[in-house]
Amino acid sequence: MKIFRGTPRYIWVYLGIIAVIALTAPQAYSAVGAAKLPLLSEAGLAVFADALFQRVLSLLPRLAAVTAAFAVDVVLLQGVLAIIHRSPTLHKFFFGTRGDSIYKRLNIHLTLIFSCLIAVYPVLRIFTISLRPGDRLLSTDLAIIPKDATLDSYREVLFGNPEKRRASDFFLWLWNSLAITVTTAIIGVILSATAGYAFSRFRFPGRAPGLIFLLTTQMIPAGMLLLPLYIMLTRLNLINTYLGLVIAYSVTAVPFSIWILKGYYDTIPIDLEEAARVDGCNVLGAFYRIILPLSTPALAIVFLFNFMSSWSEYMVARVVLQKGPMYTWPLGLWTYAGQYTLAAGRFAAASILVAVPAMALFLYSSKWLITGLTLGSVKG
């Protein structure tokens, strides 16, 4: 038969067997439950077999209908494929003659548009909540900009509310976060750049176990590190200090950064360093004058990774920082949520405002982000 051309015939036998099992198995199970007889006895097995046979007989009309519908679908699908192959326009649309077909590109673009809508929709809802007067969180209105939109939430977050004698600590939270994240990112870049160079260029005892150990530390959940970090920082008198939080963030960020830079250094030919040494450079001179300028994309991605992982972190900051004036913005935002109330408008407005610096940095460094990921971590 032409409709079955190119398709293994035994696949229809398997599909029929699977269909029969799928249709009869639930009914047979219910028949066993309805019989409530001991299956190990001869009488119970006879009743079970009779019930199963009756169920199969009752399902035969339905099985015949499903089989007929499946056969009709197969015939229709084969007919559509035949029409597509005979029509040059449809064949070009679905399969193309050079490169990706129009149908494939259309599906890719629709998938990307749908993914963008899913990603953007929560941000739009937060933006809508920030424009609502009062603290209205739930609403059936799907308009992005509500009818009674106002910027009072933004004004109150930035400058406080003198009428209610409510001051704003938003800029203090933002400054604390910037100071901690930038310091963490710089320390992470310095430590990982030198450590990654050592792992890439030198052969020393413990090199391979050291790399595996660094990778293993990334498998440990952040929650498991809270108690050891708290005990160590308490004994070092670093609780309620910015230095303690910077150390805690660097401990979690440096191992992955070492792997990124080590992989990138492996792609740089060692001949360049040997040529620099012939010209009079020592090891550190070749590293500073040759390796670092060539590693700008990888260093940028490491800086961005350390910055992003520290910028929105909450759990470690909640344990280390316990004084209000030292709060970072994730801790500060949660002051808008009381035991029984939630300042949804200010919470949403502050969420939008703190996303601006991170988005600006991400967009500015996006070209280095792509280059660093493709040349560094993937090949490492």
Side-chain angles (χ1 to χ4, degrees):
M1 297 176 65
K2 293 184 179 180
I3 60 173
F4 296 142
R5 183 180 299 170
T7 304
R9 295 181 179 178
Y10 54 80
I11 194 173
W12 308 111
V13 178
Y14 289 155
L15 290 176
I17 294 174
I18 292 172
V20 171
I21 293 175
L23 291 173
T24 57
Q27 303 298 332
Y29 179 79
S30 62
V32 174
K36 294 182 179 178
L37 292 175
L39 296 179
L40 295 179
S41 64
E42 185 176 352
L45 289 175
V47 172
F48 170 74
D50 181 65
L52 181 60
F53 181 71
Q54 295 298 328
R55 290 288 182 180
V56 172
L57 286 180
S58 65
L59 290 174
L60 281 180
R62 186 185 303 177
L63 179 61
V66 171
T67 306
F70 182 73
V72 171
D73 292 340
V74 171
V75 172
L76 290 176
L77 179 61
Q78 293 291 334
V80 171
L81 291 177
I83 294 173
I84 292 174
H85 280 289
R86 291 182 179 180
S87 172
T89 305
L90 292 176
H91 187 275
K92 182 179 179 181
F93 177 78
F94 284 100
F95 300 103
T97 56
R98 181 179 299 176
D100 295 333
S101 64
I102 300 175
Y103 176 73
K104 182 178 180 180
R105 283 182 287 174
L106 182 64
N107 279 335
I108 291 174
H109 282 81
L110 289 177
T111 304
L112 292 176
I113 292 172
F114 183 69
S115 302
C116 291
L117 290 177
I118 293 177
V120 170
Y121 181 76
V123 180
L124 294 178
R125 299 315 303 169
I126 295 175
F127 179 70
T128 303
I129 294 172
S130 68
L131 295 179
R132 291 173 184 164
D135 293 322
R136 289 186 300 171
L137 178 61
L138 302 177
S139 175
T140 56
D141 188 8
L142 296 179
I144 296 176
I145 299 178
K147 296 180 181 178
D148 48 357
T150 177
L151 296 176
D152 288 344
S153 297
Y154 289 93
R155 180 178 55 80
E156 193 166 347
V157 167
L158 293 174
F159 308 109
N161 191 339
E163 298 176 356
K164 298 180 181 179
R165 297 180 179 179
R166 185 183 296 160
S168 173
D169 294 328
F170 179 76
F171 290 107
L172 178 62
W173 302 335
L174 207 60
W175 169 253
N176 292 340
S177 294
L178 281 174
I180 292 172
T181 52
V182 171
T183 305
T184 303
I186 293 175
I187 291 177
V189 169
I190 294 174
L191 294 179
S192 57
T194 52
Y197 181 75
F199 278 111
S200 175
R201 289 295 189 263
F202 303 112
R203 300 294 182 266
F204 51 88
R207 175 178 175 274
L211 285 172
I212 296 175
F213 174 76
L214 291 176
L215 188 61
T216 306
T217 57
Q218 299 303 300
M219 311 300 174
I220 301 175
M224 292 179 62
L225 299 175
L226 288 179
L227 185 58
L229 282 174
Y230 180 77
I231 294 174
M232 293 174 62
L233 294 177
T234 301
R235 292 183 176 179
L236 294 173
N237 294 323
L238 292 177
I239 293 294
N240 283 324
T241 62
Y242 296 138
L243 179 60
L245 191 57
V246 169
I247 292 175
Y249 286 160
S250 300
V251 168
T252 57
V254 167
F256 185 66
S257 303
I258 291 175
W259 265 95
I260 293 177
L261 290 176
K262 188 263 178 187
Y264 193 87
Y265 292 151
D266 290 342
T267 63
I268 300 176
I270 198 171
D271 299 340
L272 298 176
E273 297 170 65
E274 292 176 350
R277 292 179 188 178
V278 170
D279 292 338
C281 284
N282 55 16
V283 176
L284 289 179
F287 172 71
Y288 178 73
R289 291 182 173 85
I290 303 298
I291 299 300
L292 285 184
L294 294 175
S295 306
T296 303
L299 296 175
I301 184 59
V302 167
F303 182 89
L304 184 63
F305 169 75
N306 293 335
F307 184 90
M308 297 300 293
S309 60
S310 305
W311 177 251
S312 57
E313 201 283 331
Y314 175 79
M315 285 197 302
V316 177
R318 188 70 184 87
V319 172
V320 177
L321 301 180
Q322 300 171 359
K323 295 181 179 178
M326 302 185 69
Y327 278 180
T328 56
W329 73 259
L331 299 179
L333 255 65
W334 279 107
T335 59
Y336 294 142
Q339 186 174 3
Y340 301 107
T341 59
L342 172 65
R346 285 181 287 159
F347 198 103
S351 301
I352 295 294
L353 290 175
V354 297
V356 174
M359 290 180 61
L361 179 63
F362 183 82
L363 293 176
Y364 176 74
S365 59
S366 58
K367 56 181 180 181
W368 294 303
L369 173 68
I370 298 173
T371 307
L373 285 176
T374 53
L375 294 182
S377 59
V378 175
K379 291 185 177 180

